Amino acid sequence: MVGAALFTCVLVFASSALSAGLVASVSLSSQTMTVSEDGVDVYRWPVSTARKGYSTPLGSWSAKWLSRSHRSRKYDNAPMPFAVFYNGGYAVHATFDTKRLGRPASHGCIRLHPENAATFFALTSRYGTANTRIVVGY
């Protein structure tokens, strides 16, 4: 029963990802993000997701809105450049703490090197938020 439910979830996530032209697949276990355009992998970047005591939610979402130079209202006005928001206050965005990329370090957002975040932001702008999906899994 559990196996069937898990299989159904995988199918739902896969079908929703296939419907988008731009897909960012984030792996919490490998701390990487693979970006696909129209089903073709074009980038694979190191990320930082939630450190101990915080969480990066699992699931699949369309991008909701963009902010080129956002600042966190929740975490001391921290800079979140090139933010692509996808689930409430969660976003894919740039970090200047690049030495910690590749391992958990955030409050829950998905952090990228500033150059990679700018690239993802530009791609999302080009494809549109409705055609961009962020998929987070183990």
Side-chain angles (χ1 to χ4, degrees):
M1 184 75 114
V2 173
L6 182 59
F7 181 72
T8 302
C9 287
V10 168
L11 286 178
V12 169
F13 287 151
S15 65
S16 64
L18 291 174
S19 66
L22 182 66
V23 178
S25 299
V26 178
S27 168
L28 298 182
S29 60
S30 67
Q31 291 291 292
T32 59
M33 182 168 97
T34 302
V35 179
S36 303
E37 290 186 77
D38 301 317
V40 178
D41 292 351
V42 291
Y43 298 105
R44 183 176 167 94
W45 298 315
V47 298
S48 286
T49 60
R51 67 182 185 245
K52 188 175 180 177
Y54 296 92
S55 66
T56 299
L58 300 172
S60 178
W61 301 268
S62 61
K64 304 297 187 238
W65 58 285
L66 307 173
S67 180
R68 185 177 299 277
S69 54
H70 192 79
R71 291 208 167 259
S72 173
R73 287 182 222 126
K74 189 172 183 179
Y75 295 108
D76 301 320
N77 208 34
M80 299 170 61
F82 301 109
V84 177
F85 285 87
Y86 63 91
N87 179 22
Y90 292 96
V92 176
H93 66 81
T95 183
F96 300 111
D97 191 11
T98 58
K99 68 185 178 302
R100 291 171 46 168
L101 289 170
R103 62 183 192 253
S106 79
H107 287 110
C109 285
I110 299 163
R111 296 178 178 179
L112 288 168
H113 187 282
E115 290 173 7
N116 300 337
T119 298
F120 184 63
F121 186 91
L123 286 168
T124 302
S125 296
R126 188 171 80 216
Y127 277 87
T129 55
N131 295 314
T132 300
R133 294 217 55 90
I134 292 90
V135 180
V136 181
Y138 287 111

